[in-house]
Amino acid sequence: MRLDAEWMVRADERILEFLLEAGPHSPTGIENDGRVRFGSEYIGRRLRDYLVPVGLADTVGNGVYVITDQGRSFLEGDLDARDLPDPRNL
C-alpha cells in the first residue's frame, strides 16, 4: 500500500509510474504518450516543484526526468511519503 504525503496529488503517482515503465522522458513526451492525462506544463511543474526536490524523481538534463530509487521505493509501498520534506517549504 502506498502512503502519500498531504502535498501529493494523483498526477504525482501517475508520473512516477510512467517513468518507471517507460524510462526517461520530458514532460512533453509524457503527455504525448497518452498514459498520463495531464498537460505537459502541469507535468513539468509537478516534477520540477515537487517530485525532484524531495528525491522521488531527478533530471538528467535538457528537461528529461527519471524516477529515482526513492521513487521506486514509494511506488512499491516501501517508502512513506509523509516522511519526506514538504517541497512547498524548501
Side-chain angles (χ1 to χ4, degrees):
M1 174 195 240
R2 294 179 191 160
L3 298 171
D4 59 357
E6 181 271 332
W7 54 264
M8 294 182 84
V9 297
R10 184 170 64 168
D12 297 336
E13 289 189 46
R14 298 300 173 267
I15 293 165
L16 292 172
E17 289 167 348
F18 178 89
L19 292 173
L20 179 65
E21 293 171 8
H25 271 76
S26 68
T28 300
I30 296 170
E31 176 189 23
N32 290 343
D33 181 271
R35 287 184 267 178
V36 179
R37 295 184 177 181
F38 298 95
S40 63
E41 287 184 32
Y42 184 70
I43 293 168
R45 187 173 335 113
R46 293 307 302 178
L47 282 159
R48 183 179 55 256
D49 296 344
Y50 294 87
L51 301 176
V52 169
V54 300
L56 296 175
D58 202 0
T59 182
V60 293
N62 295 328
V64 175
Y65 294 88
V66 296
I67 190 168
T68 62
D69 289 340
Q70 189 163 278
R72 284 185 187 87
S73 292
F74 166 72
L75 291 180
E76 293 167 359
D78 296 331
L79 172 73
D80 184 341
R82 296 174 297 183
D83 294 334
L84 296 172
D86 186 330
R88 299 171 295 187
N89 298 326
L90 296 178

